[in-house]
Structure formats: structure tokens, C-alpha cells
Amino acid sequence: MQKHEAKSLCQQHKYRYVLIQLTDGKVHDGIIENVDDDYVYLAIPVGGRAGGESETRAFGWGYPYYRYPNHGYPYYPRRRFYRGIFPLVALTVISLLPYY
């Protein structure tokens, strides 16, 4: 996929949930936040990503959540997405995904 073609596709699908594949074979899913002349910016959900990383790895914790001191209930982080920045020249596939 050429750079201008990738940019055009990303702009058409801005704010939609997509799956992208890069030239190195890695796959990422997320919502297209922005596109500029060189990069596409994805809001990638934490946990359950197509790339296979777990929620614990994204935050570097040993558990999917941790507990407040002196409290018994779990604390989940407020941030449920992180930003992924990918070069347009590295995109090979963009697919729309259903968002539930």
C-alpha cells in the first residue's frame, strides 16, 4: 500500500474501529484518532488486543488490577486506551471491525 493511499483510507475511517497490519507482520486494533502526512494515531484498547499483549503488560503490573491500601475492593485504572503511533509507509492492511 502506498503512503497516499494509506493516508486516504485512514482519513475515510477516522473515528472508526479498525484492524491494521504492518509490513513486519504485527497486527493492532484500535480507533483511528488522527492522521497526518507521515503517521496514523490509534487509540488502542487496554487488554484483549489483537496484538496479544495483556492488560498487565501494558501497565507493567504483575496483576490485572491492584488494591487500594486498607481497602478490599479492586482499583481499575481510568485510562482504558493508549495511543499507538504507526508510520503510514508501514501499513499493509486496514480492515473495519465491529465495535460492541
Side-chain angles (χ1 to χ4, degrees), residues 6-7 9-20 29-35 39-44 91 94-96:
K7 180 180 177 182
L9 278 172
C10 289
Q11 286 175 334
Q12 289 174 14
H13 300 305
K14 196 171 179 180
Y15 306 120
R16 298 185 80 183
Y17 190 56
V18 297
L19 181 96
I20 63 169
D29 63 313
I31 300 169
I32 297 177
E33 287 184 314
N34 196 13
V35 183
Y39 298 98
V40 58
Y41 301 86
L42 289 183
I44 300 174
L91 294 180
I94 299 174
S95 302
L96 284 175

Side-chain angles (χ1 to χ4, degrees), residues 63-76:
Y63 302 99
Y65 60 86
Y66 61 94
R67 297 185 184 277
Y68 276 124
N70 303 322
H71 295 13
Y73 58 90
Y75 168 75
Y76 292 93

Side-chain angles (χ1 to χ4, degrees), residues 18-99:
V18 297
L19 181 96
I20 63 169
Q21 183 174 359
L22 305 176
T23 53
D24 62 1
K26 292 184 180 176
V27 177
H28 303 275
D29 63 313
I31 300 169
I32 297 177
E33 287 184 314
N34 196 13
V35 183
D36 62 22
D37 291 334
D38 297 313
Y39 298 98
V40 58
Y41 301 86
L42 289 183
I44 300 174
V46 174
R49 294 187 305 278
E53 290 185 24
S54 69
E55 181 176 336
T56 59
R57 185 156 181 205
F59 285 98
W61 299 334
Y63 302 99
Y65 60 86
Y66 61 94
R67 297 185 184 277
Y68 276 124
N70 303 322
H71 295 13
Y73 58 90
Y75 168 75
Y76 292 93
R78 290 184 190 191
R79 188 172 183 179
R80 296 191 180 124
F81 293 89
Y82 73 93
R83 178 173 280 175
I85 303 171
F86 305 98
L88 289 173
V89 295
L91 294 180
T92 57
V93 176
I94 299 174
S95 302
L96 284 175
L97 293 174
Y99 186 75

